Amino acid sequence: MGPGAGMLGELSEISTTTCVARQRIEDGAGRAIGFEVLFRPHAQAETATEGWSFDDDIATARVLTAMASQFEVRDVSGDGLLFVNVPRSFLVQPDLIPIDPDSVVLEVLERVEIDDEVLAGIDELLAGGFGIAFDDLVPDDPRFPFIDRCGFVKIDLQQVAEEHLPGLVAKVRAMAPGALLIAERLETPENMALARSIGFDLFQGYLVNRPTMLVRESIRPQMPIAVKLVALLFNPATNMPDLAELVLSDAAVTRTIMRQVNSAAGTRTEVNDIVQALTLLGRSRLRALLMLELMQATGHQDPEVPLLALARTRAVETLAPDEPLVAATEALARLCTTVLGMSEEEVAQWLPRSEAAPPAATVACDALDQYLEAVDRAAAPVLPTGFTPLQVSLAWLHGLRDARDLLDTVPQPRQPDS
């Protein structure tokens, strides 16, 4: 086994418990128009900082990870909008936001300096379909020159003096006439009366709704039958004929692959040769397809398993760019012991791994393991030298996004006969 793998017995399942909070945003008639999703370090926490050293980047990564892997947007926002806080790091790398833009409003935190790089990211997010809000706007806010990009503007009634509120609202109306104004941190009936009298459109705060916790438990799948097919994709010695031989031993997998290739856009002539089909499909899409078949083979219909498995391998490929295949192989082996419940001896029987794997690959896997373990314990991650929490969290989010994109390109698993 590769170095660093011995720690796996102490790791819990990936994302065994995921929690976020949501807070209602309503209009003047008391109708919910959406919810803000809030970071919570654990299921008993009432605030974002309870029992955890708060960091904007890690908190946002945790929330986006939850929305990408555990919850659907509608789980949190119903038929309304979903508001999510985003710091600078996610605005300048908009491709790392792993959720679909439909009905999602990204709140630009007050601490974000709007420079050319941030502005380009905001424009890209707008073009991609996200809504933009400025959070906690104040009278002398340096974000005012860019406020015309906002569909929503949030003003904290506990942060702005009462005598300055009418002028602030008037300035927003003049510079961003299409934006809806949200009065937040409404805590008393007097706060609500003031907000209504000044002309706010929407309302948020403890008076409207205290944040409520949403908790999702992961499911541990049984030992997969089709996992050897996935393992072969990480073996540099595997060629397509070798892979085809094993694929042909499973009629259901063969049918799925042939159906996928022949239904793909642009295919003019029916493909009948399995080697040609595998070549056309490509290793990335084949990996996604096999993960879905793996899930079906275990009898699970929970899409979390293939999503997290794909995301895990994609993340370590990013973290170990010089040894991506070795890192992905190591990550797959660790996944099978920690998530799929296989013993290291079982893994060793079918997954070829070097006894002297390059340190860069195993340390990248260690960094991801330690980051995910810290997230699961609601603790600040302590990572190997050369890695930062932000770097690992962004690699994980990028992996989630790639995994979701891959899974969207393949058919869903077969449903059991009724």
Side-chain angles (χ1 to χ4, degrees):
M1 305 294 284
M7 65 174 284
L8 291 173
E10 301 176 1
L11 288 178
S12 60
E13 301 173 20
I14 299 175
S15 301
T16 50
T17 302
T18 299
C19 54
V20 295
R22 69 173 187 174
Q23 188 173 35
R24 174 186 173 102
I25 301 173
E26 65 180 33
D27 62 15
R31 296 171 297 209
I33 64 95
F35 292 83
E36 180 177 356
V37 60
L38 304 165
F39 168 75
R40 290 294 183 265
H42 54 83
Q44 289 73 43
E46 294 188 2
T47 67
T49 58
E50 188 174 320
W52 193 75
S53 179
F54 188 80
D55 177 274
D56 283 336
D57 291 316
I58 302 302
T60 299
R62 287 276 301 274
V63 167
L64 291 176
T65 296
M67 295 309 304
S69 63
Q70 302 289 325
F71 300 95
E72 295 290 338
V73 168
R74 286 181 175 270
D75 292 338
V76 179
S77 64
D79 293 327
L81 299 171
L82 181 76
F83 290 75
V84 183
N85 290 324
V86 285
R88 174 186 172 85
S89 57
F90 289 88
L91 293 169
V92 300
Q93 299 183 81
D95 62 317
L96 295 181
I97 297 177
I99 55 178
D100 293 330
D102 295 343
S103 304
V104 174
V105 178
L106 303 175
E107 297 188 23
V108 180
L109 295 175
E110 67 276 13
R111 295 177 288 279
V112 175
E113 179 182 351
I114 310 293
D115 55 21
D116 290 344
E117 198 174 8
V118 169
L119 202 60
I122 289 176
D123 288 342
E124 183 176 337
L125 289 164
L126 285 169
F130 287 100
I132 295 293
F134 281 171
D135 192 27
D136 291 345
L137 200 77
V138 294
D140 57 351
D141 204 298
R143 294 172 292 176
F144 260 113
F146 317 102
I147 201 171
D148 60 332
R149 289 170 167 80
C150 291
F152 301 87
V153 174
K154 302 184 79 172
I155 296 175
D156 186 339
L157 264 65
Q158 307 302 318
Q159 188 178 5
V160 179
E162 182 176 339
E163 61 269 22
H164 295 150
L165 282 171
L168 177 57
V169 168
K171 185 175 180 180
V172 173
R173 295 288 191 206
M175 299 185 70
L180 297 177
L181 271 72
I182 304 175
E184 57 180 346
R185 282 229 285 168
L186 298 172
E187 299 179 355
T188 66
E190 290 76 21
N191 292 156
M192 178 65 80
L194 175 63
R196 288 179 178 274
S197 69
I198 295 173
F200 279 91
D201 304 293
L202 304 171
F203 308 91
Q204 179 182 4
Y206 283 179
L207 186 70
V208 173
N209 168 242
R210 296 186 71 88
T212 56
M213 190 71 72
L214 300 175
V215 177
R216 177 118 338 147
E217 298 290 340
S218 300
I219 299 175
R220 178 187 289 274
Q222 300 173 5
M223 177 178 173
I225 296 172
V227 73
K228 288 185 180 180
L229 292 169
V230 182
L232 282 176
L233 288 172
F234 295 104
N235 183 352
T238 301
N239 55 37
M240 285 302 179
D242 291 338
L243 189 64
E245 183 177 355
L246 186 56
V247 167
L248 288 170
S249 69
D250 187 320
V253 173
T254 302
R255 284 196 303 270
T256 300
I257 289 173
M258 299 305 293
R259 183 174 63 248
Q260 170 67 14
V261 169
N262 285 309
S263 65
T267 301
R268 297 179 180 179
T269 304
E270 184 175 357
V271 177
N272 295 309
D273 181 80
I274 188 63
V275 175
Q276 182 185 5
L278 295 175
T279 302
L280 289 171
L281 197 60
R283 286 183 175 249
S284 292
R285 292 178 68 200
L286 182 58
R287 189 190 304 179
L289 195 65
L290 291 175
M291 285 293 183
L292 288 170
E293 286 299 322
L294 181 157
M295 178 180 66
Q296 173 66 17
T298 64
H300 279 285
Q301 302 303 316
D302 187 349
E304 173 193 349
V305 176
L307 178 69
L308 293 182
L310 285 166
R312 195 176 179 88
T313 55
R314 296 291 286 173
V316 297
E317 287 172 345
T318 300
L319 294 171
D322 295 331
E323 298 288 346
L325 188 60
V326 178
T329 304
E330 178 70 18
L332 179 63
R334 297 185 182 196
L335 176 82
C336 290
T337 56
T338 58
V339 178
L340 303 182
M342 299 176 67
S343 70
E344 294 188 355
E345 291 73 21
E346 288 173 323
V347 174
Q349 290 177 2
W350 54 262
L351 182 59
R353 300 163 75 196
S354 170
E355 293 291 340
T362 55
V363 173
C365 291
D366 290 344
L368 182 62
D369 287 338
Q370 291 166 21
Y371 172 77
L372 292 175
E373 182 185 18
V375 166
D376 190 54
R377 294 187 291 103
V382 179
L383 304 177
T385 302
F387 292 93
T388 66
L390 177 59
Q391 177 191 9
V392 179
S393 67
L394 293 182
W396 178 238
L397 285 172
H398 209 164
L400 280 170
R401 186 182 186 92
D402 285 353
R404 188 175 290 279
D405 287 346
L406 282 171
L407 291 174
D408 284 344
T409 70
V410 298
Q412 293 303 301
R414 306 175 314 279
Q415 297 300 316
D417 295 335
S418 55

